Amino acid sequence: MTDAGVTTRRREATRQKLLDAAAQVFAEVGLDAASVEAICEAAGFTRGAFYSNFETKDELFLELAGRVARERVDAVRGRVAELERDGDLRDVPADPIRIVQSVLDTSANDRLGVLLMSEIRIHALRNPDLATAYLQQEQEMADSVVQIIADIGRAGTLRFRMPPEQCARLFLTVWEGTSVRAVMAGASDDEMCRRTNEELARLAQLVVEPPV
């Protein structure tokens, strides 16, 4: 590998460490309270390393938001592909919401992830560029859930009371809302998952037609 290649890899590794550290700092104290010094300390770098990679804290935050969005969408898409390979979308289970739960549970449904996404959502309300990125990520998440619901519906065993797009929006709203409330209540990651699954199951009873 050339010297230029080594330098590029080191620079990218530095950026990733700064992003990882910023994710924790932003999630714990928020964007406004997070200092460049705190991020550098968490990453084990100097301010010089920070400013050689990012011009401002806001620039880092925008890149981090994009990375979080890609990870969430990639997790959902990967899980959908896995379910399709295993035939779970062809052989509809007695409890179809299990499929939706298993997909959503892969998407960073932990305290750090919920805190970080909540921080991103707050700042998306004030920042048009961040709002555009957030809404795009949200739509891609919804599209992935729509695919699952549509595939279950095409199997013919189950019928939904509303179009897949509306079902997906309801599932995502309940999933995210329950996760946020669980974090506020100090629940563990396992408890958060349990509460989310219970709420999704209740919603499924409302949107799935009972067997004839």
Side-chain angles (χ1 to χ4, degrees):
M1 181 179 295
T2 65
D3 290 343
V6 171
T7 300
T8 299
R9 291 188 62 180
R10 287 177 178 172
R11 181 180 178 85
E12 181 58 28
T14 298
R15 289 178 68 88
Q16 291 306 314
K17 286 183 180 180
L18 286 167
L19 287 166
D20 291 341
Q24 295 189 19
V25 175
F26 287 151
E28 294 297 338
V29 304
L31 175 63
D32 294 335
S35 65
V36 170
E37 290 78 8
I39 295 170
C40 291
E41 182 179 354
F45 294 124
T46 64
R47 287 171 58 91
F50 180 94
Y51 286 112
S52 66
N53 285 275
F54 302 99
E55 291 188 7
T56 64
K57 186 174 65 174
D58 286 345
E59 180 188 342
L60 183 150
F61 187 74
L62 284 170
E63 183 166 333
L64 179 61
R67 190 179 77 167
V68 170
R70 289 190 298 272
E71 288 176 349
R72 295 183 85 199
V73 172
D74 288 346
V76 169
R77 287 176 174 168
R79 186 58 176 148
V80 169
E82 180 183 341
L83 290 169
E84 290 176 335
R85 287 195 303 269
D86 294 343
D88 287 349
L89 298 183
R90 292 191 303 272
D91 302 324
V92 180
D95 183 8
I97 197 57
R98 178 180 64 81
I99 294 180
V100 177
Q101 290 170 340
S102 67
V103 171
L104 296 181
D105 286 347
T106 68
S107 303
N109 197 20
D110 54 32
R111 180 177 179 275
L112 179 61
V114 172
L115 288 171
L116 183 57
M117 287 308 300
S118 295
E119 185 69 14
I120 291 172
R121 190 180 299 113
I122 289 171
H123 285 274
L125 291 170
R126 304 187 183 100
N127 185 314
D129 291 336
L130 187 56
T132 298
Y134 180 85
L135 290 174
Q136 181 178 354
Q137 174 263 333
E138 185 182 62
Q139 184 59 54
E140 290 178 350
M141 286 282 289
D143 290 344
S144 296
V145 179
V146 165
Q147 177 184 342
I148 301 168
I149 294 171
D151 286 343
I152 293 174
R154 281 194 294 270
T157 305
L158 297 168
R159 295 178 58 189
F160 292 86
R161 291 190 170 102
M162 57 186 66
E165 292 79 8
Q166 295 180 18
C167 289
R169 287 292 178 185
L170 286 174
F171 284 133
L172 288 171
T173 297
V174 168
W175 169 57
E176 293 192 350
T178 304
S179 298
V180 168
R181 288 192 295 274
V183 169
M184 290 181 179
S188 66
D189 290 351
D190 289 343
E191 175 65 13
M192 184 195 313
C193 194
R194 184 189 67 79
R195 293 185 188 185
T196 303
N197 286 345
E198 287 180 353
E199 291 301 316
L200 288 172
R202 293 189 183 99
L203 177 59
Q205 294 175 355
L206 298 176
V207 301
V208 176
E209 292 280 4
V212 178

